Amino acid sequence: MSDATHTRTTITSVLVANRGEIARRVFRTARELGLSTVAVYSDADAGAPFVAEADAAVRLPGSAPADTYLRADLVIGAARRAGADAVHPGYGFLSENADFARAVTEAGLTWIGPPPQAVESMGSKIESKRLMAAAGVPVLAEADPATLTEADLPVLVKASAGGGGRGMRVVRTLAELPGELAAARAEAASAFGDPTVFCEPYLATGRHVEVQVLADTHGTVWAVGERECSIQRRHQKVVEEAPSPLVERLPQMREALFEASRKAAAAIGYVGAGTVEFLADESGRFYFLEMNTRLQVEHPVTECTTGLDLVRWQLRIAEGARLPEAPPARDGHAIEVRLYAEDPAAGWQPQSGVVERFQVPGVAAEFANPPGYGLRLDSGVVDGSAVGIHYDPMLAKLIAWGPTRADAAGMLAGALARTRLHGLRTNRDLLVRVLRHPAFAAGDTDTAFFERHGLPALAEPLADPEARRLSALAAALADAAHRRSGAAVQRGLPSGWRNVPSQPQRARYAGADGAVVEVEYRLARTGLLAEGLDAVGLVDAAAERVVLDVAGVRRSFAVARYGPGGAAVCVDSALGSVALAAVDRFPDPVARTAPGSLLAPMPGTVVRLDVKEGDTVTAGQPLLWLEAMKMQHRIDAPADGVLTALHVGVGRQVDVGAVLGVVSSEPVESNEEQQK
């Protein structure tokens, strides 16, 4: 578009049609530009940090995405009520919805994104692949679910209208196809409002390489740089970096990727920030996967290595600004990890609850590039934030930018290991193990990383059994000091000191895996005497910090307690973080559940039942599905037996730990047999 035909727009107030970390990220840049900010929020997000940080906030009644963030009419109405003149969609929700983009502009508001027709072109992955093939961009062949044969397997079922791993299923047998198609359609409808899915050949290993593009309204298209996002779980990215180790090894590949990306953007008249994603092999061949017509979660690694503020450019391009002739040169290497509230060892089950504490040491900048090499934090949570069941369980992104890849990986792993993150199970320890893995150091990071290197080993806590035992001892000593500090008399006595040496102090704690650790110790005049820890001495014990001498090495343990009576204890040290729960010495027998009980691993909604009460089931057989955080989670039979009780139905909401049903391993007699 020429300058003569382009009308300059001025933005004064921007509404972010999103939540959490990305809303805070956009607000940061908007404030720097002197713009006022508007948030929209669901009832579940009323107390979230992004709501408090906005200049104005408008409630969207309800909590489910379909009732709130996916309601284009409510979002546009909120912009009008708050006086916003522009809408930034963030990522997810309505960010790649062409009808929403069109409705924003029809309402007289500035859409901070590509033209609706460009969103539409890429909004259907089925049509976008055909369009890219016509533009000369390499693509993977599409497979029609109705005509698949065993020879076509395995295939990947994908949602046409969205990404982020939702609506994606790997199908390895034709018998699985109908069920996986149904599950993928349901998940896609819930996450994106569109149940359309398609199939493509599934490549078990490969490299996920993507190119950041930026285009203005005057015909300039930048290929800013590539990122590699190959380390994934459930088809969702976990670790992202710029530049790509694969492309660094095959430098001739970079210009071919950039050229294909510029072709893709030009083919649809793209404007703004977007990402062209490819699946590549070790030889450098690559195939178009999709184009994300929005900002990506992993955009900070590109910002760090180029010095750009992509959100600033989104806003400036929406006002009609020109890009310079060429993008800036790259500097250094950046790696980003996504911190999720989830349990990797339990099938990546999402977690909900309260983030009691979140402290990352050494952060140089939040939601912006560090002034020099260093750490950046983009977080959706703070101390006390509640993590519910309705949205993605990502808590934050931590980014390290260094002069080399090794520098960035070391900086990031160290910061993660020292982070105090209390209240929820997370993937933090897994991320540290990935960053310190020899294969990662070598740049050997394909999409099968977890399968090749063993998820059980990677998901192991950083704190080994000895470290967990030392942490439990520190917790017991700190708890004793805490109790002593509140005593009316004898406050000056050493914590745990007793005049009767034959009676040791005892404490029992359950770890995150349910295993119970019992600590037994005495504080005699000769020092600490701990059962089974002969080489451990006490240097100092206070309510929040314990220092132990372990075989001549001093180690410091930071102790924090939460909940009624401080029963939840978190211990942080250089040996790893350990979450403990004080165990009642006399548990209530009524609280015990029946053998074979199916317990809800998370709060959620029952969306599908494949069995009925009285059915005979086999170990591993799918029984029901729970929907939580926009993903569906399968509950399998724990053993062969009979489903003797079923306590839920489709549509029922359940809390974590709720008994869904009971599978009895004992044969159930029929009425006739009972009457004999």
Side-chain angles (χ1 to χ4, degrees):
M1 185 179 292
S2 69
D3 290 339
T5 58
H6 183 75
T7 302
R8 183 79 181 186
T9 299
T10 300
I11 296 172
T12 63
S13 177
V14 59
L15 177 144
V16 178
N18 220 289
R19 62 179 300 277
E21 163 266 326
I22 185 57
R24 300 182 78 193
R25 164 70 187 94
V26 177
F27 290 163
R28 165 69 185 254
T29 291
R31 285 194 298 269
E32 289 181 347
L33 293 174
L35 308 180
S36 63
T37 57
V38 180
V40 287
Y41 66 93
S42 69
D43 291 340
D45 279 336
F50 79 94
V51 179
E53 291 172 1
D55 295 318
V58 180
R59 175 181 174 242
L60 305 178
S63 292
D67 300 327
T68 53
Y69 299 109
L70 288 173
R71 285 285 301 275
D73 56 334
L74 296 183
V75 173
I76 292 171
R80 286 172 163 160
R81 288 167 59 190
D85 50 30
V87 173
H88 191 297
Y91 49 71
F93 295 127
L94 294 168
S95 63
E96 294 178 282
N97 186 306
D99 290 338
F100 178 56
R102 199 170 285 115
V104 167
T105 57
E106 289 173 353
L109 305 170
T110 299
W111 168 249
I112 304 171
Q117 59 270 27
V119 178
E120 205 158 48
S121 297
M122 292 291 127
S124 166
K125 291 185 175 63
I126 298 172
E127 294 304 318
S128 67
K129 291 177 73 170
R130 294 170 183 165
L131 186 59
M132 291 299 99
V137 179
V139 301
L140 280 172
E142 181 190 337
D144 182 357
T147 61
L148 283 177
T149 67
E150 290 285 353
D152 299 316
L153 301 177
V155 296
L156 184 63
V157 181
K158 299 178 73 172
S160 182
R166 297 173 188 89
M168 296 180 73
R169 294 289 191 280
V170 178
V171 177
R172 291 184 168 84
T173 68
L174 288 180
E176 296 175 325
L177 185 61
E180 297 293 19
L181 282 172
R185 287 173 179 137
E187 204 165 79
S190 175
F192 312 115
D194 183 349
T196 306
V197 298
F198 69 101
C199 296
E200 67 184 16
Y202 175 62
L203 305 182
T205 61
R207 300 289 192 112
H208 186 117
V209 180
E210 59 190 34
V211 177
Q212 176 72 57
V213 296
L214 203 59
D216 63 20
T217 56
H218 308 281
T220 300
V221 180
W222 280 359
V224 180
E226 88 282 349
R227 300 183 286 257
E228 184 161 333
C229 316
S230 299
I231 298 181
Q232 304 178 5
R233 57 92 167 109
R234 299 183 65 164
H235 311 294
Q236 286 184 311
K237 303 162 189 173
V238 178
V239 182
E240 300 113 338
E241 55 184 310
S244 158
L246 175 66
V247 178
E248 286 286 273
R249 180 165 59 82
L250 303 169
Q252 73 280 5
M253 183 181 175
R254 181 168 286 123
E255 187 48 47
L257 278 168
F258 286 6
E259 179 63 23
S261 300
R262 287 190 288 263
K263 282 181 180 179
I268 61 172
Y270 199 79
V271 173
T275 300
V276 188
E277 300 194 350
F278 301 94
L279 185 65
D281 64 21
E282 294 296 326
S283 70
R285 291 178 299 182
F286 57 86
Y287 306 93
F288 174 83
L289 286 176
E290 62 185 3
M291 183 174 184
N292 294 126
T293 53
R294 54 169 170 80
L295 200 65
Q296 289 277 88
V297 177
E298 56 272 23
H299 74 274
V301 295
T302 296
E303 291 188 322
C304 286
T305 53
T306 61
L308 293 170
D309 180 334
L310 292 175
V311 173
R312 181 185 292 260
W313 271 113
Q314 284 185 299
L315 292 162
R316 291 188 66 194
I317 288 171
E319 290 183 320
R322 282 181 176 273
L323 286 167
E325 185 176 340
R330 190 184 76 237
D331 177 19
H333 199 103
I335 305 174
E336 171 184 295
V337 292
R338 302 189 192 188
L339 272 168
Y340 282 100
E342 66 183 11
D343 185 354
W348 311 101
Q349 287 178 357
Q351 308 291 298
S352 61
V354 175
V355 179
E356 301 287 4
R357 183 173 299 181
F358 183 41
Q359 297 176 351
V360 184
V363 170
E366 292 189 49
F367 305 105
N369 291 333
Y373 297 133
L375 288 171
R376 167 176 169 171
L377 177 66
D378 286 21
S379 172
V381 300
V382 295
D383 290 1
S385 290
V387 178
I389 66 171
H390 300 286
Y391 315 114
D392 187 276
M394 189 175 78
L395 303 175
K397 306 178 307 195
L398 186 60
I399 305 99
W401 173 39
T404 68
R405 185 172 185 268
D407 291 330
M411 185 193 317
L412 187 53
L416 278 171
R418 293 191 299 273
T419 292
R420 301 192 76 185
L421 182 49
H422 302 164
L424 292 168
R425 293 191 195 184
T426 72
N427 66 337
R428 184 265 304 275
D429 288 8
L430 170 94
L431 295 173
V432 174
R433 289 193 181 279
V434 168
L435 292 167
R436 291 175 173 170
H437 198 282
F440 184 86
D444 185 10
T445 55
D446 64 24
T447 54
F449 189 90
F450 290 128
E451 289 78 6
R452 284 198 297 115
H453 299 294
L455 178 60
L458 290 168
E460 276 289 312
L462 293 177
D464 62 20
E466 169 100 3
R468 292 197 287 272
R469 186 163 175 76
L470 287 170
S471 296
L473 174 61
L477 291 165
D479 284 347
H482 178 65
R483 291 191 298 271
R484 180 64 59 187
S485 67
V489 295
Q490 296 182 327
R491 286 183 182 158
L493 290 177
S495 299
W497 185 89
R498 287 191 174 204
N499 198 34
V500 183
S502 61
Q503 295 299 316
Q505 295 270 37
R506 292 185 178 87
R508 299 177 78 233
Y509 299 97
D513 59 358
V516 174
V517 180
E518 185 161 352
V519 175
E520 192 172 296
Y521 70 92
R522 286 191 294 115
L523 288 175
R525 288 183 174 85
T526 56
L528 175 68
L529 301 173
E531 181 69 27
L533 295 169
D534 297 337
V536 177
L538 176 63
V539 178
D540 186 41
E544 295 183 353
R545 183 174 178 268
V546 172
V547 181
L548 299 176
D549 183 299
V550 183
V553 178
R554 284 196 177 189
R555 296 196 178 277
S556 180
F557 298 81
V559 182
R561 54 190 62 81
Y562 307 98
V569 184
C570 295
V571 184
D572 295 291
S573 75
L575 300 174
S577 296
V578 177
L580 300 167
V583 176
D584 190 344
R585 293 177 62 189
F586 306 103
D588 183 358
V590 177
R592 298 173 184 164
T593 56
S597 293
L598 302 171
L599 304 181
M602 68 207 77
T605 303
V606 178
V607 294
R608 179 178 163 193
L609 283 171
D610 268 16
V611 289
K612 62 182 182 300
E613 202 168 284
D615 282 357
T616 299
V617 299
T618 57
Q621 177 183 339
L623 304 181
L624 58 90
W625 281 257
L626 288 178
E627 183 171 276
M629 298 178 180
K630 299 191 288 184
M631 301 285 281
Q632 289 192 6
H633 308 272
R634 197 175 78 185
I635 308 298
D636 296 339
D640 294 350
V642 175
L643 186 66
T644 55
L646 184 61
H647 302 310
V648 295
V650 173
R652 169 81 174 273
Q653 289 191 332
V654 298
D655 293 325
V656 62
V659 179
L660 308 173
V662 178
V663 174
S664 174
S665 58
E666 298 296 327
V668 178
E669 295 181 348
S670 67
N671 289 336
E672 291 181 1
E673 290 172 328
Q674 292 174 1
Q675 291 170 4
K676 288 180 181 178

